Amino acid sequence: MAPFTGSVPVASVRWADRALAPSRRATLAKRQASTAAPAFGTALTEHMVSARWSAGPGWHNGEILPYQPLRIDPATVGLHYGQSVFEGLKAFRRPDGVPVLFRAADHGRRFQRSAARLAMPALPADDFVAALSALVRTDEAWVPHEENRSLYLRPLMFAADTSLALRPSTTYHFLAVAFVTESFFGSTAHPVSVWCGRDYIRAAPGGTGDIKCGGNYAPTYLAQQQAADHGCQQVIWLDAAERRWVEEMGGMNIFWVRREGGRDVLVTPPLTGTLLPGVTRDSILALAADLDLTCAQRPMSLDQWRAEAASGVITEAFACGTAAVLTPIDRVVTEDGAWDAGAGPPGTVCARLRDALVAAQHGVGPDRYGWLTPVR
Ligand SMILES: *Cc1c(COP(=O)(O)O)cnc(C)c1O
């Protein structure tokens, strides 16, 4: 899909420009407002990516447009049947000021797997990266310079046919928008308490728990409400079959630090098909080895977590994902009582890993794993 590789139609806006047109002043004000801790997904930039797919021509009309509402036919199939997938990744600034996308090709490949599961066409990973690079290049002024902020990129694709027949759409619309987001950082990474209830499940074998699709989060809201009712910020998800094995925390992957033979071992559940294969999870596994931490992908039952946190074997627990980076867990609440998530102070190993991840994301030091795509 050639259009993303050349110059983009709307690329001339510069915030340093003194002669801002009146309509631009509004967005400038919005950008300045966004410097006060923007709520997630509110400080949207000025442009967006749009591309179309139809059987026959395939991908076409890839372009950068001014950010704008869509005109959607009420019979658009993606609205009715959830044939829709998305991704979430971030752009940072290197110490030399150059914006970089973090692990964009990995997110592009996961976007393809999500699409394949819902019988949708694949967007080539190169086009995915080129489209997001074009968006970041166009809205470069929005990429924060502060270490605890980044530009969150939200690509999505939905079925665009206007027919409510029960079959895969023959046309699709790919979009990407971007917004400024604040990460938790240093001492401001507050530990969360988690609720583990019995009423709901997140993912079942053969389902869609290992992809990012439109239906990912809405079915979790009631469980999240129950967590809040129990004074907790997040939900722990157990496996659907036995309700025994811990799989994820909210929309994040989970880790424990276990004391094994005098060493700290980082344990995370294996990718059974009902866990989302997080890019952050994968980054942590790579960086842990650099920090001389042993890693193990092993199942962890709720019972084992409880017993080993009490006996001192599990020293801490934390969760990770692109949006919130790394979040320590301090307390677990269930219908059978509450306990401390680990025997040590929450967040010690977690903080070391977070620092290593933040350094890798910002290109501090060599890009050893080829994770960064510079945008210039
Ligand atoms: C997106 C997501 C994650 C984290 O994936 P990252 O690639 O690390 O952002 C974990 N669990 C669920 C359910 C998710 O949707």
Side-chain angles (χ1 to χ4, degrees):
M1 187 169 49
F4 289 125
T5 55
S7 64
V8 291
V10 186
S12 56
V13 181
R14 283 285 171 274
W15 290 110
D17 192 341
R18 299 266 157 231
L20 290 175
S23 64
R24 296 291 176 215
R25 289 182 203 283
T27 34
L28 177 58
K30 194 169 145 196
R31 182 173 170 229
Q32 280 162 348
S34 78
T35 59
F40 191 76
T42 57
L44 286 141
T45 67
E46 291 165 278
H47 294 92
M48 61 192 236
V49 170
S50 172
R52 304 277 180 168
W53 187 92
S54 43
W59 288 104
H60 58 278
N61 284 22
E63 52 192 342
I64 302 287
L65 299 172
Y67 189 93
Q68 60 192 277
L70 305 174
R71 276 176 61 86
I72 297 239
D73 189 292
T76 299
V77 68
L79 291 177
H80 293 260
Y81 302 146
Q83 203 190 5
S84 136
V85 293
F86 68 96
E87 263 304 320
L89 65 161
K90 284 177 169 176
F92 303 89
R93 273 192 206 269
R94 278 195 325 217
D96 64 2
V98 173
V100 286
L101 305 179
F102 186 68
R103 303 198 65 173
D106 295 301
H107 286 277
R109 284 187 282 272
R110 190 171 66 190
F111 194 62
Q112 291 183 336
R113 290 197 298 273
S114 298
R117 176 64 181 81
L118 297 193
M120 300 168 81
L123 178 69
D126 286 351
D127 284 322
F128 180 93
V129 176
L132 297 173
S133 297
L135 180 60
V136 169
R137 198 175 300 120
T138 308
D139 283 338
E140 198 207 307
W142 289 73
V143 183
H145 288 270
E146 301 96 319
E147 208 178 31
N148 62 338
R149 292 199 169 178
S150 55
L151 193 68
Y152 184 96
L153 305 170
R154 169 50 59 82
L156 70 148
M157 185 195 342
F158 63 88
D161 277 6
T162 53
S163 143
L164 298 183
L166 291 183
R167 53 161 175 73
S169 185
T170 60
T171 57
Y172 294 88
H173 196 173
F174 172 71
L175 296 164
V177 298
F179 54 86
V180 176
T181 182
E182 184 134 328
S183 327
F184 312 103
F185 195 68
S187 56
T188 59
H190 297 298
V192 295
S193 55
V194 293
W195 163 251
C196 186
R198 299 196 198 286
D199 292 341
Y200 305 108
I201 56 154
R202 193 195 78 84
T208 55
D210 59 347
I211 61 158
K212 287 185 113 69
C213 64
N216 257 21
Y217 301 138
T220 71
Y221 292 161
L222 286 181
Q224 188 61 40
Q225 184 56 52
Q226 288 187 336
D229 293 345
H230 288 87
C232 297
Q233 284 101 51
Q234 285 289 338
V235 171
I236 288 292
W237 296 108
L238 300 180
D239 74 294
E242 294 183 68
R243 304 289 181 102
R244 180 171 171 212
W245 306 105
V246 179
E247 296 197 324
E248 299 204 50
M249 182 198 88
M252 302 172 81
N253 294 113
I254 189 165
F255 283 86
W256 297 269
V257 182
R258 262 183 117 245
R259 223 41 215 161
E260 293 180 14
R263 286 178 62 91
D264 282 337
V265 176
L266 205 55
V267 176
T268 194
L271 299 175
T272 56
T274 51
L275 278 74
L276 200 293
V279 174
T280 317
R281 173 187 182 278
D282 189 69
S283 305
I284 301 278
L285 289 173
L287 293 169
D290 296 349
L291 296 179
D292 208 23
L293 279 163
T294 307
C295 299
Q297 300 186 47
R298 275 186 222 146
M300 171 77 73
S301 70
L302 192 65
D303 289 342
Q304 183 185 354
W305 185 2
R306 183 176 196 160
E308 292 190 344
S311 70
V313 174
I314 290 178
T315 52
E316 61 184 276
F318 62 88
C320 72
T322 296
V325 197
L326 275 76
T327 302
I329 302 170
D330 63 356
R331 206 129 167 93
V332 185
V333 182
T334 73
E335 279 153 17
D336 309 320
W339 73 89
D340 286 338
T348 314
V349 173
C350 176
R352 281 173 64 209
L353 286 165
R354 188 176 56 238
D355 290 348
L357 179 61
V358 169
Q361 288 171 328
H362 287 80
V364 177
D367 180 15
R368 295 181 40 208
Y369 301 98
W371 284 345
L372 302 180
T373 306
V375 177
R376 266 288 153 87

